[in-house]
Amino acid sequence: AAAGHEGATGAGGALLELAIGAAVGAAIGVTGGALLRIARRRNWAAEDFTGIAVLALAVVAYTGAVSLEGNGFVAAFCGGVAFGALAAA
């Protein structure tokens, strides 16, 4: 759990959940996008694998954020945006 977050309620608690979700999602998305880009360059992963990777990334981002008491939906969304930006580049 996030330190000092257990009793947070109201707007402050909601903003903290959103911030945790966005940070976790972006970190996982950037990492996943970079790893998939490396794997495709070295022919370790087929292009068909990308869809499964995106689904797995969303699940990992969601569960990671929820385990830290963040917003899982925001994490999955931010993770997908970050992943798409890096994987397509």
Side-chain angles (χ1 to χ4, degrees), residues 6-78:
E6 296 83 23
T9 59
L15 288 175
L16 182 58
E17 282 187 24
L18 291 173
I20 292 170
V24 168
I28 290 173
V30 165
T31 303
L35 289 174
L36 185 61
R37 183 196 288 172
I38 291 167
R40 286 193 310 199
R41 283 185 184 164
R42 296 182 181 181
N43 292 322
W44 292 346
E47 291 295 321
D48 298 338
F49 177 73
T50 305
I52 296 168
V54 173
L55 179 61
L57 173 113
V59 171
V60 169
Y62 183 91
T63 55
V66 169
S67 71
L68 296 173
E69 297 187 16
N71 189 305
F73 177 79
V74 170
F77 178 80
C78 290

